[in-house]
């Protein structure tokens, strides 16, 4: 409860300071963990891998469009598979040299840190007006490289604990085969869950039941994948992609509104808790590691390796992508995409799930050192890259989110209102409704069209009115709310009457806001 309360305050300040909330939460967590007398924090692996991870991945994948994904699938495949393998290999080589990790544990660390964080990528897209294809590219890569890195992690752990029992070329072939089985099996499990959920949700009419179904879907997909000994993460991502594509056909407007509110709340609580825990746990892991003075240098070397490897892959991939489209490559997009590769929830879940013992029952050597290096790299990445990402994006020419998309949205709203007015004229000509109803609806649509065209004219001229229609109506409702409070305080109305009238005012402003966005 304290974590959630602190996270709420931190998130509010993050918005005011224009910094990513995850980065600020991690920094606050580290600061609290370093205080004298701070309690030791141990995060059970199941809390992150089972409770936190599935809904976060599901929410991110459900927002990804199949149409947009098809347009960028080639660079996504190169980054989500090739870059993950290259990052894991590079980190393994550096960690083995700097931290004296064994080859098997070095590859475990590399697999842990090979994926980027979809939460940070989503925050980037909300704050900056990135081109649509670039936003899709980084979102899709962050999702699919999670699946790739966790499959690679399972393979690396099997060799580290001695369950694979192979070396050399046989080990490599076994790893490739296991990778294919885990990934394909996870995708199949996710598709099966998605098909079942679609069938169920098309027959549910109660918004509450549909909300419950949507909330448990990622957990069902993850548990099915894990039960079948395939990739549960891949199952969650595939289920989210498929259900997201079918969402307009299987939900009503009321359910969509309710689902959005519920999911936003759940995601905020989970993100806030887990990022604060990342910061809190690092000091505990360092204290338990004991005398291993070289770990800060090793953590910096590993983090630098991740950044350099990402830059070395992203710039050539972006150049090839631009050449294929007949354009000249430029630096702003690959620079922002490279620096957006922060680590976060997924690497934490993987690191915490490293087994304690080998197959023989002995303690897994160097596990504590791997945990410290992984946690330190995650914290450094979130703080350094998180706090500097937006300034870099602005230097590259990407302004705050709003200008381009807002203009596009305004034009779309105008077209929708015009389509509604045209249909209303058809119905009026056929005598489908009383004239009074037709006139009332026509006046509402014409008012919306007029307000939308005025907004377009203002954006074209660069002019601003003193108050928009929505702002004016909100001001009037605020005056009504103030009068309602005065009547209640004076004893003129009862608490029950106040609640009913308050709900009416809330619904009115909600309807007005939705109708005039």
């Amino acid at each position: 409860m304290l974590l959630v309360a602190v996270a709420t305050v931190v998130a509010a300040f993050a918005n005011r300071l224009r910094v990513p909330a995850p980065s600020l939460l991690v920094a606050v967590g580290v600061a609290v963990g370093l205080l004298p007398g701070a309690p030791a924090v141990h995060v059970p692996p199941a809390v992150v891998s089972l409770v936190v991870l599935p809904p976060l991945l599901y929410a991110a994948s459900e927002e990804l469009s199949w149409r947009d994904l098809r347009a960028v699938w080639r660079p996504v495949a190169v980054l989500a598979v090739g870059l993950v393998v290259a990052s894991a290999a590079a980190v393994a080589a550096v960690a083995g040299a700097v931290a004296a990790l064994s080859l098997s544990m070095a590859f475990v660390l590399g697999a842990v840190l090979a994926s980027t964080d979809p939460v940070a990528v989503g925050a980037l897209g909300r704050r900056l007006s990135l081109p649509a294809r670039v936003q899709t590219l980084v979102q899709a890569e962050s999702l699919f490289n999670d699946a790739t890195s966790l499959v690679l992690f399972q393979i690396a752990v099997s060799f580290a604990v001695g369950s694979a029992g192979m070396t050399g070329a046989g080990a490599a072939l076994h790893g490739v085969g296991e990778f294919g089985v885990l990934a394909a099996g996870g995708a199949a499990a996710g598709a099966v869950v998605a098909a079942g959920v679609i069938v169920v949700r098309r027959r549910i009419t109660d918004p509450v039941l549909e909300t419950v179904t949507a909330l448990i879907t990622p957990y069902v997909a993850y548990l099915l994948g894990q039960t079948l000994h395939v990739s549960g993460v891949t199952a969650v991502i595939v289920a989210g992609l498929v259900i997201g594509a079918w969402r307009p056909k299987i939900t009503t407007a009321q359910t969509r509104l309710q689902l959005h509110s519920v999911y936003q709340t759940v995601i905020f609580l989970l993100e806030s808790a887990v990022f604060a825990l990342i910061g809190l746990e690092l000091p505990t892991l360092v204290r338990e590691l004991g005398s291993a003075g070289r770990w800060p240098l090793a953590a910096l070397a590993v983090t630098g390796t991740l950044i350099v490897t990402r830059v070395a892959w992203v710039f050539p991939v972006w150049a090839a992508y631009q050449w294929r489209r007949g354009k000249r490559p430029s630096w702003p997009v690959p620079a922002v995409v490279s620096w957006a590769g922060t680590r976060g929830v997924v690497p934490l879940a993987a690191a915490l799930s490293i087994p304690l013992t080998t197959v023989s029952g002995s303690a897994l050597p160097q596990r504590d050192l791997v945990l410290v290096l992984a946690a330190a790299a995650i914290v450094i990445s979130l703080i350094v890259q998180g706090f500097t990402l937006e300034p870099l994006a602005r230097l590259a020419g990407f302004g705050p989110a709003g200008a381009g998309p807002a203009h596009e949205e305004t034009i779309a709203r105008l077209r929708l209102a015009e389509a509604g007015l045209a249909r209303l004229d058809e119905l009026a000509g056929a005598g489908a409704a009383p004239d009074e109803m037709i006139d009332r609806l026509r006046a509402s649509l014409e008012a919306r069209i007029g307000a939308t065209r005025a907004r377009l004219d203002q954006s074209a001229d660069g002019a601003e009115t003193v108050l928009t229609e929505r702002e004016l109506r909100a001001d009037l409702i605020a005056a009504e709310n103030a009068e309602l409070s005065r009547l209640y305080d004076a004893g003129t109305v009862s608490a029950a009457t106040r609640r009913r009238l308050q709900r009416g005012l809330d619904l009115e402003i909600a309807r007005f806001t939705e109708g005039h966005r």
Side-chain angles (χ1 to χ4, degrees):
M1 294 303 296
L2 181 60
L3 277 178
V4 172
V6 171
T8 304
V9 175
V10 170
F13 277 100
N15 290 332
R16 289 182 175 272
L17 297 174
R18 299 189 63 79
V19 296
S23 300
L24 192 56
L25 282 167
V26 169
V28 170
V30 171
V32 172
L34 292 174
L35 292 175
V41 176
H42 292 280
V43 185
V47 170
V48 179
S49 60
L50 175 60
V51 178
V52 176
L53 196 56
L56 293 182
L57 292 175
Y58 180 82
S61 58
E62 200 179 25
E63 295 177 357
L64 193 61
S65 165
W66 278 102
R67 185 194 67 182
D68 296 340
L69 180 59
R70 285 196 299 268
V72 296
W73 72 269
R74 288 185 180 88
V76 166
V78 173
L79 295 177
V81 178
L83 179 55
V84 166
V85 175
S87 297
V91 167
V94 171
V98 179
L101 285 175
S102 65
L103 181 62
S104 60
M105 291 305 291
F107 269 108
V108 169
L109 177 64
V112 164
L113 295 173
S115 65
T116 56
D117 181 32
V119 178
V121 170
L124 169 69
R126 290 191 293 270
R127 298 180 70 88
L128 300 170
S129 57
L130 295 177
R133 289 198 175 195
V134 177
Q135 180 61 29
T136 302
L137 172 64
V138 293
Q139 282 185 326
E141 184 222 346
S142 68
L143 281 171
F144 287 103
N145 68 16
D146 286 343
T148 304
S149 69
L150 289 180
V151 170
L152 193 65
F153 169 74
Q154 290 180 255
I155 298 171
V157 166
S158 68
F159 285 105
V161 301
S163 60
M166 296 182 185
T167 58
L173 290 175
H174 174 78
V176 172
E178 188 174 357
F179 182 92
V181 171
L182 291 171
V192 169
V193 171
V197 169
I198 289 171
V199 171
V200 171
R201 287 180 60 175
R202 294 187 75 168
R203 287 161 174 77
I204 294 178
T205 57
D206 187 344
V208 174
L209 293 179
E210 191 164 357
T211 301
V212 172
T213 304
L215 286 173
I216 67 173
T217 295
Y219 296 108
V220 172
Y222 184 82
L223 289 173
L224 178 62
Q226 295 299 101
T227 302
L228 297 176
H229 303 290
V230 296
S231 174
V233 170
T234 304
V236 172
I237 292 172
V238 171
L241 285 170
V242 175
I243 293 173
W246 279 79
R247 183 171 49 188
K249 302 177 182 178
I250 61 176
T251 57
T252 63
Q254 182 183 1
T255 301
R256 285 193 294 271
L257 289 173
Q258 181 165 308
L259 270 175
H260 177 77
S261 299
V262 171
Y263 244 104
Q264 289 298 308
T265 303
V266 170
I267 296 304
F268 172 78
L269 292 174
L270 293 177
E271 287 179 5
S272 301
V274 76
F275 280 112
L277 286 171
I278 289 174
L280 283 169
E281 187 163 26
L282 178 58
T284 301
L285 293 173
V286 172
R287 285 192 290 266
E288 292 179 350
L289 182 61
S291 56
R294 296 183 61 185
W295 75 262
L297 175 62
L300 290 173
V302 165
T303 308
T305 301
L306 290 170
I307 294 174
V308 170
T309 305
R310 184 170 179 83
V311 170
W313 272 77
V314 169
F315 272 82
V317 169
W318 178 254
Y321 178 66
Q322 290 294 86
W323 282 328
R324 286 178 59 89
R325 300 178 62 202
K327 295 183 178 181
R328 184 178 178 180
S330 56
W331 71 268
V333 169
V336 172
V337 171
S338 298
W339 203 246
T342 56
R343 270 59 188 174
V345 179
V346 175
L348 176 68
L352 293 174
S353 63
I354 297 174
L356 296 172
T357 62
T358 64
V359 291
S360 63
S362 59
L364 184 64
Q366 300 181 313
R367 180 181 186 273
D368 291 343
L369 179 57
V370 170
L371 281 177
V372 168
L373 292 177
I378 293 169
V379 170
I380 294 171
S381 172
L382 283 169
I383 292 178
V384 175
Q385 292 176 264
F387 282 129
T388 57
L389 181 58
E390 187 164 348
L392 173 64
R394 296 192 187 285
L395 179 65
F398 301 113
H407 182 73
E408 174 185 311
E409 183 177 339
T410 303
I411 293 176
R413 291 187 182 279
L414 177 61
R415 297 292 178 264
L416 293 177
E418 289 174 344
L421 185 60
R423 177 57 179 164
L424 184 65
D425 289 338
E426 293 178 7
L427 295 173
D435 292 341
E436 296 81 3
M437 185 184 300
I438 295 291
D439 292 340
R440 187 166 60 251
L441 292 174
R442 180 181 284 112
S444 175
L445 286 169
E446 288 175 345
R448 190 190 306 177
I449 291 172
T452 308
R453 285 177 175 165
R455 195 175 302 121
L456 286 173
D457 293 340
Q458 290 168 18
S459 62
D461 298 338
E464 292 186 1
T465 58
V466 177
L467 284 177
T468 64
E469 182 183 358
R470 181 171 59 180
E471 291 170 337
L472 182 60
R473 185 64 184 125
D475 189 82
L476 296 178
I477 293 178
E480 294 180 58
N481 271 318
E483 177 63 14
L484 179 59
S485 297
R486 190 193 67 79
L487 292 173
Y488 174 75
D489 293 338
T492 306
V493 298
S494 65
T497 300
R498 182 191 185 187
R499 285 195 297 270
R500 287 195 297 270
L501 293 174
Q502 182 69 68
R503 176 170 173 77
L505 291 173
D506 292 343
L507 289 172
E508 183 177 354
I509 196 168
R511 285 194 298 267
F512 186 85
T513 301
E514 287 297 321
H516 289 78
R517 279 181 180 173

